Amino acid sequence: MSKLKIAVQKSGRLYEDSLQLLKDCGIFINNGKDQLKVSVDNFPMEIMYLRNSDIPQYLEDGVVDIAIVGENLLVEKQKKITVVQKLGFSKCRVSLAVPKEIETDDLAYFQDKKIATSYPNTLKNFLEKNKITADIHVISGSVEIAPNIGLADGICDIVSSGSTLFKNGLRETVTLLQSEAVLAKTSSLDQEKEVILEKFLFRIKAVLKAKKSKYILMNVPNEKISDIASVLPVLKSPTVIPLAEKGWSSIHSVIDEERFWEVIDELKENGAQDILIIPIDKMVI
């Protein structure tokens, strides 16, 4: 039987979260020290630990079938690769930044300026789209130091919290693109491996849906059940279980993490009591 070859970073900011996602999907890895290729016993998959910058090329060439990789890297490398699922972790943005003493956030500041970056293609396309002419200096690492040593007037780099910029006397001005970890696939995937990928995607979606949801239980007076049910953003309809105390029921449902406090306030206003929230491990729809 074919095995789906998946590439993950052998080190870097996506490494731990990538392995955790595989574990949450029931894929258990027994890799020895310094192993760069590992077979999985309980799923038709083979894991390859690769250097982050090499992954897009390996995908395009079909050396690996799928990969967990930063969306920003795919944009920069401009390869013929399909994103099949956004994964919700390692969120960041590619942004322009300037020395903190520069007061303007206007993109026009960069006209005829020098910009240091590790993302020359992303930056070049953005500047051309906005009709800005600038001198791009490509640096493989430690981009933030460039303005301090007189190499550039500003930088274009990945930003997460912004703390690295702050420590180097820089501040963020313009965001070029938002990014997160994604599952991407090669264009040369055969039918047998497509079937395996669909099974893997089914597991991923169950895990991601669970992370965005909470299981909720509450006690409600029977005359308030219809009011409470109208508040709950449920999958179909809430579960209603009569309590031993006459005139009361327990309602069970699922709520979206993003609307959590808003929904809780509405439930209390409509008579819900003894509200219990439980995390969800997996959610299969």
Side-chain angles (χ1 to χ4, degrees), residues 24-38:
D24 291 341
C25 289
I27 296 169
F28 299 106
I29 310 160
N30 295 313
N31 55 305
K33 184 177 175 59
D34 298 327
Q35 272 188 282
L36 298 180
K37 186 170 75 169
V38 180

Side-chain angles (χ1 to χ4, degrees), residues 47 116 150 165 237:
I47 300 167
L165 293 180
S237 62

